[in-house]
Amino acid sequence: TTENVSEVYAGTHTAINGDGDEVNITIAADSVHYEVCSQDMLRFFPPAFPALPVYQRDNEEWMLNEQELIVALFGWAGIGILVFTTFIFTKRIVVQNIKAAFCRTYEVRCCNSPLYYLL
């Protein structure tokens, strides 16, 4: 956004960093105001799957048009891979079990002894 920070935030503030040390933070009155948006679409309720640009929350749009195109391509490609993989595993498991239940497998029964060929 192009808005400046609120007067409430302008000034010098004390914060504690990850090591437990106090640090001073100075925010100028002409600093630009930024908002944090949730980009973790799986934590949305209901979850947004696949992660497509249409699932961005209202007034929290954060993607550029080019990013929306790439995200849509990756989202639909992910769905395609998921469907294809599910199909392959289901086919292997189900079809093999059905074949085993209704079709006999051929077993070669022979003797490798030289006497077997003389008969």
Side-chain angles (χ1 to χ4, degrees):
T1 65
T2 57
E3 299 176 21
N4 289 341
V5 295
S6 171
E7 293 176 8
V8 175
Y9 299 111
T12 301
H13 305 278
T14 304
I16 299 175
N17 66 12
D19 295 330
D21 301 328
E22 286 188 2
V23 292
N24 290 327
I25 300 172
T26 303
I27 301 174
D30 60 347
S31 296
V32 177
H33 172 78
Y34 293 97
E35 291 184 25
V36 177
C37 61
S38 176
Q39 298 177 7
D40 187 1
M41 293 185 177
L42 289 177
R43 301 216 191 274
F44 286 4
F45 186 79
F49 183 79
L52 297 174
V54 296
Y55 294 129
Q56 294 181 89
R57 293 180 177 159
D58 292 336
N59 299 322
E60 289 187 16
E61 292 87 4
W62 51 272
M63 288 188 232
L64 302 173
N65 289 337
E66 295 83 11
Q67 290 172 321
E68 288 183 358
L69 175 66
I70 295 297
V71 168
L73 290 174
F74 274 106
W76 287 114
I79 290 294
I81 291 169
L82 180 67
V83 167
F84 180 74
T85 305
T86 303
F87 173 76
I88 294 298
F89 280 116
T90 303
K91 180 182 172 197
R92 286 188 179 173
I93 292 170
V94 172
V95 171
Q96 286 180 355
N97 287 332
I98 290 174
K99 275 186 178 179
F102 295 105
C103 301
R104 291 185 179 186
T105 57
Y106 178 73
E107 292 182 26
V108 178
R109 294 182 187 177
C110 75
C111 184
N112 289 332
S113 147
L115 294 176
Y116 180 77
Y117 297 108
L118 294 175
L119 298 175

